[in-house]
């Protein structure tokens, strides 16, 4: 009998407690209609075909669109056309200048001990070798630390081969650890007298695709050419070094810089209502590397963000805050599109109250992270609850955001980050194999659902998105 | 109580039956020592590292070895060296002339409606376009039947694009159905006035690797250039056609024929004992296509056959029949190595009493098929029984063998076929991606175990391998 009395007693206690605290409790972050609309978005996303069709259209009709190229211009025209077709408001461009590097041809051969020619790609921004190429002995080092530990003169007049292989991770952290060799390796080697660099691609793939990506020349070192080879070829080159015989290489690249070119980021909105002056910004990038057609990098992000705005624009209820999609120019070559956007919106930086970026493939989304003012964490918890049918993991509040929102994020804009699963992303990223065939339509729909739900609730939040004061380095 | 009597009764009945039939029964196909040695081979294969090291060595030190190339000569030297190192007897070459086709460069671009450049490979044997290339409108057809059904003049002065996609199958039957377009498409299109051909690669992969492979020009048609594009690009090209706008293409290839060159098949043996004059031939091919390094096609076959002979040579008991490994020259470009081998062994064709070929990747082996005289099927059943720990499926007696044993097979030589699992083989076959990374060491060891067991028992068989009279078309 006493057992049966417990629930009644607890019930009474809770009633008393609720009554006592009701006066101090903030209003619920989301009302019932917001949550119902979130469920509608999730359901519509789960049968959406528009996002996939956007990637199909962009990759088929535009294809490669590296900064400064004809494809870059075609992509801007495509984005304007598609945003208008989808009924976005305030469709416009934000002009920017972009570097205009041209790949040309590239060749990589092992001359000794065992002659072999291997597929290669110049790193983005690499100087060429001159048409005759460079033929010299090579030194293998694992990474920048191993290079720095070599005796003086060890790489003088030689080609340095960086052999380190990146780790496969879900959150992309393997990339961050490995990529320093690509960005900084050429100048570090040049400072020590090397005449060229070959890197094992920053890649998790066992397929024979070299991966490009931007290098960054230091102003203090000679600019030397730098190429990447695939993992299987890097393994084969390691075996050549392991034979103990001297390794002689030939590299050739006709890559070169042309004068900077005009380009533009493309903007479109779903207008808000009572908080229309507050902007929830959805960023992705319109440019791509040239060897592939940019389906996962970043056609998928373009499609997710345009798809989210379209789904929200199609609801009966209109968002409180304005949803602004920005398809940034030139993410890959120094984020000048993002920098120009912030400059053009200098007076309105504080109006950007919440940011989302999709630049990590087609998903699925597996985690919800954030970088918000801690007072808002209960609201993020509520959003996470609304995402329950998508079975995400609750991430931390240390989200690093993407490269294109770095400028706004540094200025205190909160970030919500539906985390795209990057387990296989670095198999394809920055390769010729970045095609539509790498996009899983089911994963894309799930990602669309996760982003749409999160963006929508972010736009409806009953409180104020307070600014964030801590700084975090961007992931990419 | 009655229940317990049944086993006794059945036991008595079996004893009686065995006694009654013993006089008529042929001797067991394999004695206890043979079966024990088969188990030893299987165990040793399961921890073997030599076969994998052979592929590693061949792909690292020789690499691409298309007929007539410097790599072709290096491969012959490699095989002689390795066969001697492994202690094979009677190591020698069988000279042959081989075609010497040189790939040169190849380019493929869609000029309209949506300009895109796609990776391409010339088909093996294709004539070049001339340095200036060919630029013209294109017609898409699914396959040879669809081409034949076009109205007269439909492809005159145009490029024909064959769009059919091959099916993924375990036994490779999808390849046989799809490959006619590659072999015969160029001449069929030329007969109708076409000036060039582009095929969707004979491929099961979604990666952006075009697949090469030999074409066969008919003597009755002009020789027109033919290129292959990958599946993702073929899909993109289909979408361009599906836009309804005229499709204009540009193709360019500098491929050309040089004069035929000398090459050689390489032979080595584990000598037999009481039936040493009977030869169990193990065939694989030493040549490869040029874009990859020939790890699965056919480094794996080379390694399996050399590995089998090495394992058998390492047994305490010596084989009854002679095991002869033949690494054929030039399988890919008309099997001239195989034809020359048969010509050189014309007087000894009948001594080739049993054949095995490994030219379908690294495995695992999933099936045991045969093409033997039906009187020998009980022996094949016994071999299948000995393979039980490897969990194979029992195939039929319609094995088609491989291209290099076709000459001997047509002359009545029985074939045993441990069937290599080809589910993923056509993802990689004839591409730049045919590298060591595509070889699964575990599958290779299982294949080695299956081949070693089967070859050994074939060499020990107590009966006579009768000739086969029916003819079957070769698979590849």
């Amino acid at each position: 009998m006493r057992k049966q009395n417990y629930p009644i007693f607890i019930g009474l206690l809770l009633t008393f407690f609720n009554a006592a605290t009701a006066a101090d409790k903030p209003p619920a972050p989301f009302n019932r209609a917001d949550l119902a609309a979130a469920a509608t978005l999730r359901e519509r996303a789960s049968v959406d075909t528009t996002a996939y069709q956007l990637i199909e259209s962009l990759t088929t009709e535009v294809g490669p669109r590296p900064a400064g190229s004809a494809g870059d211009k075609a992509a801007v025209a495509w984005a304007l056309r598609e945003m208008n077709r989808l009924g976005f408001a305030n469709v416009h461009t934000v002009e920017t200048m972009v570097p205009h590097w041209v790949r040309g041809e590239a060749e990589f051969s092992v001359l000794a001990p065992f002659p072999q020619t291997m597929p290669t790609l110049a790193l983005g921004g690499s100087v060429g070798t001159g048409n005759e190429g460079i033929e010299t002995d090579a030194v293998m080092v694992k990474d920048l630390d191993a290079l720095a530990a070599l005796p003086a003169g060890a790489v003088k007049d030689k080609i340095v081969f960086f052999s380190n292989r990146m780790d496969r991770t879900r959150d992309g952290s393997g990339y961050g650890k490995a990529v320093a060799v690509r960005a900084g390796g050429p100048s570090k080697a040049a400072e020590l007298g090397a005449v060229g660099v070959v890197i094992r691609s920053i890649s998790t793939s066992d397929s024979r695709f070299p991966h490009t990506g931007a290098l960054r020349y230091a102003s203090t070192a000679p600019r030397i050419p730098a190429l990447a080879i695939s993992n299987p070829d890097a393994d084969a080159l390691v075996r050549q070094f392991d034979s103990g015989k001297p390794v002689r290489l030939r590299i050739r690249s006709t890559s070169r810089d042309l004068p900077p070119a005009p380009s533009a980021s493309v903007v479109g909105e779903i207008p808000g209502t009572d908080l229309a002056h507050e902007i929830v910004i959805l960023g992705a990038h319109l440019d791509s590397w040239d060897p592939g057609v940019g389906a996962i990098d970043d056609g998928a992000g373009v499609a997710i963000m345009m798809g989210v705005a379209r789904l929200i624009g199609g609801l009966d209820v209109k968002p409180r805050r304005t949803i602004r999609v920005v398809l940034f120019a030139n993410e890959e070559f120094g984020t000048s599109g993002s920098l120009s956007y912030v400059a053009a919106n200098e007076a309105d930086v504080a109006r950007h109250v919440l940011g989302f970026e999709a630049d990590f493939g087609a998903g699925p989304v597996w985690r919800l992270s954030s970088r918000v003012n801690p007072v808002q964490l209960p609201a993020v918890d509520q959003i996470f609850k609304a995402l329950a049918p998508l079975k995400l993991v609750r991430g931390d509040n240390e989200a690093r955001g993407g490269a294109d929102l770095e400028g706004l994020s540094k200025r205190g804009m909160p970030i919500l980050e539906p985390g795209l699963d990057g387990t296989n992303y670095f198999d394809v990223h920055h390769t010729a194999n970045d095609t539509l065939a790498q996009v899983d339509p089911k994963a894309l729909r799930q990602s669309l659902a996760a982003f749409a739900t999160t963006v929508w609730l972010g736009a409806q939040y009953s409180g104020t998105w307070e600014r964030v004061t801590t700084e975090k380095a961007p992931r990419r």
Side-chain angles (χ1 to χ4, degrees), chain A residues 286-328:
Chain A
L286 198 49
D287 64 314
S288 77
W289 281 103
D290 50 318
V293 296
I296 68 153
D297 185 16
D298 185 26
V302 165
I304 290 169
M305 294 321 206
M306 290 175 76
V308 164
R310 177 187 160 273
L311 285 174
I312 292 176
L315 289 173
D316 291 333
V317 51
K318 296 303 162 200
R320 300 186 67 202
R321 296 175 179 85
T322 293
I323 313 283
R324 176 180 290 181
V325 177
V326 184
L327 305 181
F328 289 101

Side-chain angles (χ1 to χ4, degrees), chain A residues 147-157 160 186-194 221-222:
Chain A
L147 177 69
L150 288 180
V155 304
K156 178 109 177 72
D157 298 328
V160 172
S187 285
K188 292 288 184 196
E191 281 167 8
L192 301 174

Side-chain angles (χ1 to χ4, degrees), chain A residues 21-270:
Chain A
T21 56
D24 310 300
K25 231 175 74 172
F30 309 106
N31 66 32
R32 193 167 300 181
D34 295 334
L35 294 170
T40 300
L41 286 169
R42 201 182 60 238
E43 283 157 24
R44 291 182 183 174
S46 73
V47 295
D48 178 85
T49 54
T50 297
Y52 187 84
Q53 284 163 2
L54 286 168
I55 309 178
E56 184 176 290
S57 164
L58 179 60
T59 56
T60 305
E61 298 174 31
V62 178
R65 45 200 184 277
S69 68
D72 190 21
K73 286 183 185 61
V76 171
W78 175 90
L80 289 169
R81 183 191 83 195
E82 291 297 309
M83 283 193 178
N84 282 311
R85 182 180 69 86
L86 295 175
F88 293 3
N90 191 23
V91 175
H92 65 280
T93 56
V94 179
E95 316 302 317
T96 186
M97 293 302 285
V98 299
H100 190 188
W101 177 81
V102 178
R103 177 172 300 284
E105 300 160 6
E107 293 170 36
F108 174 77
S109 295
V110 187
L111 302 177
F114 308 118
Q116 295 230 16
T117 295
M118 298 171 177
T120 192
L121 286 175
L123 297 185
S126 173
V127 296
T129 56
N131 198 45
E132 66 289 353
I134 296 171
E135 184 181 318
T136 185
D137 290 343
V139 173
M140 175 169 73
V141 293
K142 189 184 175 206
D143 51 22
L144 296 179
D145 287 346
L147 177 69
L150 288 180
V155 304
K156 178 109 177 72
D157 298 328
K158 294 187 174 157
I159 293 171
V160 172
F161 168 54
F162 289 102
S163 67
N164 183 52
R165 180 165 178 149
M166 80 168 274
D167 294 327
R168 188 184 293 279
T169 57
R170 198 174 191 186
D171 65 358
S173 55
Y175 186 68
K177 283 177 198 158
V179 77
V181 154
R182 188 191 79 205
S187 285
K188 292 288 184 196
E191 281 167 8
L192 301 174
V195 294
V197 160
V198 175
I199 70 166
R200 179 195 286 268
S201 291
I202 313 304
S203 166
T204 48
S205 171
D206 279 328
S207 281
R208 208 181 189 192
F209 290 111
H211 295 234
T212 189
L215 56 70
R216 284 192 218 113
Y217 285 128
S219 56
T220 51
R223 298 186 164 210
I224 61 173
L227 306 178
I229 58 175
S230 70
N231 271 320
D233 285 317
D235 290 339
L237 184 54
V238 169
R239 289 193 294 271
Q240 296 228 17
F241 275 100
D242 287 350
S243 74
K245 295 168 186 159
V247 173
R248 194 165 177 85
L249 301 178
R250 179 179 143 78
I251 62 174
R252 178 176 168 273
S253 163
T254 60
S255 62
R256 65 196 192 282
D257 282 308
L258 298 182
S263 183
S265 303
V266 181
V267 182
E269 294 180 349
I270 305 299

